[in-house]
């Protein structure tokens, strides 16, 4: 239930209208609360606030907040466009979900709605002495909130959409997904072993698997006397030809199964999501690095920064961790493979940066450090990618001493015997 709520909440965070709508509702509630103050017999305890002073303040807020909100939207749209052009379109949900920008827009729109509603109520003598004082206090608080939020937002919008900020957000999203998967390597179930067996459950939908409701599968399996083995993990591309899961009854006495019940546990959509898909964050970082290495941009420094982010993420993956006890013992899931994780992060960057000595050297260093982590599966995968990156660099680098530098860096981590490919050609 908690994971389902988090998934739904994260999708709401990617909608720009949610927080402004909440702010508008709170603004109207604030005006009504000020009116309720008139029903409390405290007139003699509060100072007299002239109606004209409240009206003047509300007019200032109403006149300025609409323009500020419009300016905020224009700045955010510009930052979103910059993200798609300089980084990758896959990072767009991360920028849209930026809390500082959404909170700023919500405060600006909420202050405008509050001023309009309060101004209409005040000019129609809706408030008494206590109500005007309460409304005056709320107005001052709203002005202070607008100023503080605006100052913080200006500092944030100057960075929003910049490559450094996008890389940082993609790394944070990938780190959260990796930590979640480390704590639950089989999504809260048990490890899948052996060849798949049982009834294959397919779905007519085509798209990416975004989430698996393991708790629902556990309830179905426990109620019907079944064992369910996932055939795909979040992030996989699914189609009618690819099974979602395999269902195996405990015995002939197992209850009847409706495949539609199993399908309800699988959330499929047109886009991948960061929440339960650690590989997606790695793919997004790799795309940012590859775009920086394109001939149109030619920014190897950004690719090196991406490699630094990948290094931290893979290092976090290899840190020993005690996984949580499986809560869904009747549902089995395959584990993420080290080869797949490194394929997502290094294949494209090693290919596009093979002709740049600084990128090729950094690829060898990061892969060598990952291989030194001590985790056997990760070490074997890192060595395979280091060999492939060396082969690409030997073919792409036209300057002999550059090739020798890459060979020496590779040999420092893996030994000279690990070198593959034809390194003698200048082609």
């Amino acid at each position: 239930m908690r994971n389902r709520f988090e998934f739904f909440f994260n999708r709401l965070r990617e909608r720009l209208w949610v927080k402004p709508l909440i702010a508008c509702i709170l603004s109207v509630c604030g005006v009504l609360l000020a009116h309720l103050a008139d029903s409390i017999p405290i007139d003699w305890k509060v100072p007299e606030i002239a109606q004209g002073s409240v009206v003047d303040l509300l007019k200032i807020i109403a006149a300025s907040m609409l323009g500020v909100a419009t300016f905020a939207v224009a700045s955010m749209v510009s930052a979103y466009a910059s993200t798609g052009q300089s980084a990758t379109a896959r990072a767009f949900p991360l920028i849209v979900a930026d809390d500082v920008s959404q909170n700023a827009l919500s405060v600006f729109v909420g202050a405008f709605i509050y001023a309009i509603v309060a101004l209409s109520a005040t000019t129609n003598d809706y408030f008494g002495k206590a109500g005007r004082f309460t409304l005056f206090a709320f107005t001052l608080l709203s002005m202070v909130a607008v100023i503080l939020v605006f100052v913080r937002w200006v500092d944030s919008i100057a960075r929003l959409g910049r490559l450094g900020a996008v890389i940082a957000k993609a790394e944070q999203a990938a780190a959260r997904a990796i930590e979640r998967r480390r704590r639950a390597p089989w999504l809260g179930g048990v490890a899948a072993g052996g060849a798949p067996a049982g009834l294959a459950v397919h779905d007519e939908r085509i798209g990416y698997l975004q989430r698996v409701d393991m708790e629902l599968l556990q309830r179905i399996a426990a109620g019907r006397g079944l064992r369910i083995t996932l055939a795909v993990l979040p992030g996989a591309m699914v189609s009618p030809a690819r099974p979602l899961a395999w269902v195996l009854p405990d015995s002939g006495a197992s209850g009847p199964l409706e495949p539609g019940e199993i399908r309800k546990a699988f959330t499929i959509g047109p886009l991948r999501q960061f929440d339960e898909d650690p590989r997606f964050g790695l793919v997004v970082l790799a795309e940012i690095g590859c775009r920086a290495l394109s001939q149109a941009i030619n920014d190897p420094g950004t690719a090196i920064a991406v490699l630094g982010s990948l290094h931290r993420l893979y290092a976090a993956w290899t840190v020993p961790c005690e996984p949580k006890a499986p809560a869904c013992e009747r549902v089995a899931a395959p584990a993420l493979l080290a080869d797949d994780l490194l394929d997502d992060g290094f294949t494209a960057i090693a290919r596009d940066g093979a002709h740049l000595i600084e990128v090729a050297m950094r690829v060898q260093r990061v892969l060598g450090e990952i291989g030194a982590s001590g985790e056997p599966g990760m070490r074997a995968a890192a060595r395979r990618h280091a060999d492939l990156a060396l082969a690409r660099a030997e073919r792409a680098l036209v300057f002999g001493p550059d090739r020798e530098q890459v060979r020496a860096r590779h040999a420092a981590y893996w030994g000279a015997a690990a070198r593959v490919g034809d390194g003698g050609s200048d082609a």
Side-chain angles (χ1 to χ4, degrees):
M1 181 62 69
R2 178 183 176 184
N3 291 339
R4 181 189 304 176
F5 175 78
E6 288 182 358
F7 184 84
F8 177 73
F9 177 74
N10 288 336
R11 302 292 76 75
L12 286 181
R13 288 184 60 199
E14 298 170 4
R15 301 293 185 267
L16 285 179
W17 56 268
V18 175
K19 287 187 176 181
L21 177 61
I22 295 174
C24 293
I25 295 174
L26 293 177
S27 300
V28 176
C29 291
V31 176
L32 297 176
L33 184 62
H35 177 65
L36 289 177
D38 288 326
S39 61
I40 303 175
I42 57 172
D43 288 356
W44 60 275
K45 294 182 180 180
V46 298
E48 179 69 38
I49 301 296
Q51 180 170 309
S53 62
V54 178
V55 170
D56 290 341
L57 284 176
L58 292 173
K59 286 182 177 179
I60 293 174
I61 295 176
S64 58
M65 282 303 98
L66 183 59
V68 172
T70 303
F71 169 71
V73 171
S75 300
M76 292 166 65
V77 170
S78 176
Y80 301 156
S82 175
T83 299
Q85 294 173 1
S86 62
T88 172
R90 261 60 62 189
F92 178 75
L94 299 176
I95 303 303
V96 172
D98 179 67
D99 288 330
V100 176
S101 297
Q102 287 198 8
N103 292 341
L105 180 61
S106 302
V107 169
F108 300 153
V109 174
F112 173 73
I113 298 299
Y114 165 79
I116 294 298
V117 175
L119 188 62
S120 301
T122 303
T123 54
N124 286 280
D125 297 326
Y126 189 62
F127 302 104
K129 181 180 178 181
R132 284 195 301 272
F133 174 78
T134 305
L135 188 68
F136 181 75
F138 283 169
T139 303
L140 293 180
L141 288 176
S142 66
M143 292 183 67
V144 171
V146 166
I147 293 172
L148 294 178
V149 169
F150 181 79
V151 172
R152 186 187 178 205
W153 173 73
V154 168
D155 178 73
S156 174
I157 199 66
R159 298 174 175 82
L160 188 66
R162 299 296 186 267
L163 267 177
V166 177
I167 293 174
K169 286 183 178 296
E171 181 180 350
Q172 292 169 6
R176 288 192 296 268
I178 285 174
E179 181 61 23
R180 176 177 299 188
R181 186 60 62 88
R182 288 176 66 242
R183 297 293 179 182
W186 302 289
L187 301 178
V190 297
L199 173 66
V201 178
H202 296 260
D203 199 300
E204 295 300 321
R205 293 172 291 178
I206 299 177
Y208 291 100
L209 180 61
Q210 298 176 341
R211 180 180 177 273
V212 180
D213 192 339
M214 298 291 285
E215 296 177 354
L216 176 58
L217 292 178
Q218 172 66 18
R219 290 195 299 270
I220 295 174
R224 303 293 177 85
L226 306 171
R227 298 284 176 176
I228 300 175
T229 301
L230 300 185
V232 289
L233 290 173
M237 184 69 180
V238 298
S239 66
R242 187 176 187 181
L244 297 176
W246 300 87
V247 180
L248 186 65
D250 284 343
S251 65
S254 298
L257 172 67
E258 173 57 44
E261 297 180 16
I262 302 291
R263 297 189 190 104
K264 292 179 181 178
F266 295 85
T267 302
I268 300 173
L271 302 175
R272 295 175 73 171
Q273 302 292 345
F274 291 91
D275 307 62
E276 300 183 12
D277 183 7
R279 297 179 59 183
F280 187 42
L282 303 176
V283 170
V284 169
L285 286 169
E287 287 184 354
I288 296 174
C290 289
R291 174 164 292 194
L293 292 172
S294 65
Q295 294 183 356
I297 298 177
N298 191 23
D299 180 16
T302 294
I304 291 174
V306 168
L307 288 171
S309 296
L310 291 173
H311 191 180
R312 288 187 289 272
L313 293 172
Y314 289 119
W317 180 266
T318 57
V319 173
C321 173
E322 185 66 27
K324 296 179 181 178
C328 306
E329 71 278 358
R330 286 185 167 271
V331 185
L336 283 178
L337 301 179
D339 265 330
D340 292 337
L341 292 172
L342 291 182
D343 282 342
D344 293 330
F346 286 103
T347 299
I349 294 180
R351 177 199 64 210
D352 294 347
H355 64 291
L356 298 172
I357 179 62
E358 60 269 39
V359 176
M361 292 287 283
R362 183 56 63 94
V363 168
Q364 291 296 331
R365 176 179 293 279
V366 173
L367 287 170
E369 295 293 338
I370 293 173
S373 65
E375 203 279 321
M378 188 65 75
R379 177 172 177 80
R383 178 165 184 170
R384 183 177 72 85
H385 278 273
D387 292 347
L388 292 174
L390 175 61
R392 288 189 174 98
E394 286 179 330
R395 291 183 176 275
L397 292 170
V398 297
F399 190 50
D402 286 347
R403 292 197 299 272
E404 291 302 323
Q405 286 189 60
V406 179
R407 291 169 187 158
R409 176 65 60 81
H410 180 274
Y413 287 104
W414 308 103
R419 188 165 64 91
V420 299
D422 181 12
S425 174
D426 289 340

